[in-house]
Amino acid sequence: MIEASEVRLSHFQSMLLFALVISIAFGFLSRRRPLDRVKYILWSLFLFLVIGIGIGWAMYPFSK
Amino acid sequence: MPGGASTTDARVADPSVFAPARPAKQADGMQNQSKAFAIAVAGWLVPGLGHALLKMWGRAVACFLTVGVLVFLGAGMRGNIFNSSGVDAFDRLGYAADLGTGCFYFFARAMESQGPDVSHANGDYGTRFLATAGILNLLAALHAFEAARGHKA
């Protein structure tokens, strides 16, 4: 068994990490040149965060 | 030139002149397909290995690290790692997604010694991280398969 300390993240930290990791993977898989990869990663990360936060705000009225 | 023209005419008239070339080409194609399939399976079993076999080092490292980080975080957050004894379709779907991580599935099981805890948001996120790691690795294996077949990747 591998003993590992439990990871505790807030909602935002979880979303940020998820978006960052997935953006990096997509960037490397879909683009060849380093500059194109960086652009894709940043754009994808931005969209992940904007859409994620946007959906969060859109759901806010129904959470009560 | 009369000589050249007559040779061409003979080939056109007798298609069997080209016959030996076709099986060789088909065998080559089959070999490429088998190689591409083996690369895809390798990429599924060990994230990034498919790309490493194709000497796509950047993509290999990126696949290994991103899938590894997602599995590490997912198991560390005590997400649910599904097993083969699922009772409903969602469990079986989750099992298929988790299996997508290849050998990291067993790493996640070994790491999560205390079992899942989905009573908190952290555990729920962890479940999604693990499933995403699996799907991402399957996507990477498919990408390696296409690249090995010579398609644009």
Side-chain angles (χ1 to χ4, degrees):
Chain A
M1 290 286 176
I2 303 164
E3 290 298 328
S5 57
E6 197 173 323
V7 181
R8 290 220 163 267
L9 299 172
S10 67
H11 291 272
F12 183 73
Q13 286 170 334
S14 301
M15 185 183 74
L16 190 65
L17 260 176
F18 182 87
L20 182 67
V21 172
I22 298 297
S23 299
I24 290 171
F26 281 178
F28 270 82
L29 284 177
S30 64
R31 295 289 184 272
R32 278 171 187 264
R33 291 189 303 168
L35 188 63
D36 289 344
R37 284 177 176 172
V38 171
K39 280 182 190 169
Y40 189 95
I41 289 167
L42 291 176
W43 182 239
S44 173
L45 179 64
F46 173 72
L47 287 180
F48 260 120
L49 294 181
V50 165
I51 293 171
I53 293 169
I55 290 174
W57 274 102
M59 288 194 302
Y60 183 70
F62 308 104
S63 65
K64 293 175 183 174
Chain B
M1 202 159 71
S6 66
T7 310
T8 310
D9 290 346
R11 282 185 179 172
V12 170
D14 183 11
S16 65
V17 172
F18 295 106
R22 190 174 288 170
K25 200 174 179 181
Q26 276 179 345
D28 221 31
M30 287 294 286
Q31 200 178 357
N32 276 348
Q33 286 281 349
S34 308
K35 188 184 160 195
F37 186 72
I39 282 172
V41 172
W44 165 56
L45 289 175
V46 181
L49 183 60
H51 287 100
L53 289 170
L54 294 169
K55 295 185 171 54
M56 294 175 165
W57 305 114
R59 284 171 173 162
V61 171
C63 288
F64 186 85
L65 287 181
T66 49
V67 174
V69 165
L70 284 173
V71 168
F72 181 81
L73 285 173
M77 292 163 92
R78 297 182 65 186
N80 194 5
I81 303 168
F82 295 95
N83 55 34
S84 56
S85 58
V87 288
D88 59 18
F90 286 110
D91 283 356
R92 285 193 285 274
L93 208 59
Y95 179 55
D98 287 353
L99 269 187
T101 55
C103 67
F104 282 1
Y105 176 80
F106 303 102
F107 170 73
R109 287 195 79 88
M111 194 180 146
E112 207 178 84
S113 54
Q114 294 175 316
D117 177 15
V118 289
S119 61
H120 301 103
N122 250 327
D124 232 6
Y125 280 124
T127 306
R128 271 57 178 173
F129 274 45
L130 287 163
T132 306
I135 299 301
L136 189 62
N137 191 39
L138 290 176
L139 181 73
L142 191 65
H143 185 272
F145 176 73
E146 286 296 305
R149 285 174 69 204
H151 290 199
K152 192 184 175 198

